């Protein structure tokens, strides 16, 4: 009787069911764009009719990377995962931590390659905020719509307002473009991350 010497790999099965290669390719593409854009500002049109709004890649690209973290949790073998011995909440927490870590590492590498290491704190703060907001969206609307609330946030964050040079006059709702010394922006980003992960993980074992 022939046997399969390769055995069963939970990690490979998990990555395959979550389309890990596609998710990694998406994040890598975002990192390439961040390498090109870096911490340099480009002008976004102001929908209020005021002067154009400057925004850097370090402020904007975490939007896509944060969405990528949550989208990567979509499980193509959901029935099997719910029946697995390891609690879904624990698996999901490890997946989110790993995906977020990869997104942070790719962002750091991109900004270092672009010659803009000073933009690292901004990118990390916005990664926290947008990943958390994607988590809130996933918890309320489902993982396939985890992009919705972060994209909605781009309207006030990048197309409205006047935060001033380097975000020195940003209000709380302009947190993605606030300066890195803005404590309110850090508090909003950290709060969104905490809320998003709590809402996603709390019902994980019961989610159908």
């Amino acid at each position: 009787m022939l046997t399969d010497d390769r055995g069963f790999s939970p990690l490979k099965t998990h990555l395959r069911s979550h389309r890990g290669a596609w998710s990694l390719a998406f994040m890598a593409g975002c990192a390439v764009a961040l390498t090109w854009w870096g911490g340099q500002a480009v002008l976004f049109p102001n929908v209020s009719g005021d002067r154009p709004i400057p925004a850097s890649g370090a402020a904007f690209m975490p939007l896509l990377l944060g969405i990528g973290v949550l989208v990567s949790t979509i499980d193509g073998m959901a029935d099997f995962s719910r029946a697995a011995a390891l609690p879904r909440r624990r698996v999901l927490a490890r997946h989110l931590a790993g995906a977020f870590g990869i997104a942070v590492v790719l962002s750091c590498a991109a900004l270092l390659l672009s010659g803009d290491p000073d933009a690292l704190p901004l990118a990390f703060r916005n990664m926290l905020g947008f990943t958390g907001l994607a988590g809130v969206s996933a918890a309320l609307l489902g993982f396939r719509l985890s992009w919705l609330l972060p994209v909605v946030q781009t309207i006030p964050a990048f197309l409205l307002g006047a935060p001033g040079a380097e975000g020195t006059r940003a209000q709380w709702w302009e947190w993605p473009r606030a300066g890195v010394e803005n404590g309110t922006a850090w508090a909003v980003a950290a709060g969104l991350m905490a809320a998003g992960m709590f809402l996603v993980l709390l019902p994980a074992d019961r989610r159908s």
Side-chain angles (χ1 to χ4, degrees), residues 136-207:
V136 174
S137 187
L140 297 177
L141 305 171
F143 285 97
R144 296 186 185 280
L145 290 177
S146 57
W147 55 269
L148 186 57
L149 292 184
V151 168
V152 169
Q153 171 71 54
T154 63
I155 297 175
F158 292 100
L159 302 178
L160 288 171
E166 299 182 357
T168 54
R169 296 197 305 271
Q171 301 180 56
W172 69 268
W173 53 269
E174 297 174 290
W175 62 267
R177 289 189 297 119
V180 294
E181 73 287 345
N182 188 312
T184 299
W186 279 99
V188 171
L192 286 172
M193 184 64 168
M197 296 304 100
F198 176 79
L199 291 173
V200 165
L201 295 173
L202 180 65
D205 292 335
R206 303 191 301 270
R207 187 178 287 116

Side-chain angles (χ1 to χ4, degrees), residues 13-201:
T13 301
H14 177 85
L15 293 176
R16 189 179 301 115
S17 68
H18 289 78
R19 298 183 180 178
W22 184 92
S23 298
L24 183 59
F26 174 78
M27 290 186 183
C30 292
V32 170
L34 183 56
T35 301
W36 168 76
W37 193 346
Q40 305 303 311
V42 298
L43 296 179
F44 279 53
N46 194 326
V47 297
S48 67
D50 204 343
R51 63 182 60 182
I53 300 171
S56 68
F60 182 81
M61 291 309 296
L63 162 72
L64 300 180
L65 285 163
I67 292 172
V69 169
L70 268 295
V71 170
S72 74
T73 64
I74 297 174
D75 191 353
M77 299 175 61
D79 292 338
F80 174 81
S81 298
R82 284 193 294 270
L86 198 63
R88 172 64 177 163
R89 185 180 302 169
R90 190 181 306 175
V91 174
L92 184 57
R94 291 178 180 178
H95 181 109
L96 287 168
F100 182 78
I102 290 172
V104 170
V105 169
L106 288 174
S107 296
C108 290
L111 289 172
L112 290 173
L113 288 173
S114 71
D116 293 299
D118 292 342
L120 286 171
L122 173 61
F124 180 71
R125 185 199 67 198
N126 285 12
M127 188 81 68
L128 285 175
F130 282 121
T131 302
L133 194 55
V136 174
S137 187
L140 297 177
L141 305 171
F143 285 97
R144 296 186 185 280
L145 290 177
S146 57
W147 55 269
L148 186 57
L149 292 184
V151 168
V152 169
Q153 171 71 54
T154 63
I155 297 175
F158 292 100
L159 302 178
L160 288 171
E166 299 182 357
T168 54
R169 296 197 305 271
Q171 301 180 56
W172 69 268
W173 53 269
E174 297 174 290
W175 62 267
R177 289 189 297 119
V180 294
E181 73 287 345
N182 188 312
T184 299
W186 279 99
V188 171
L192 286 172
M193 184 64 168
M197 296 304 100
F198 176 79
L199 291 173
V200 165
L201 295 173

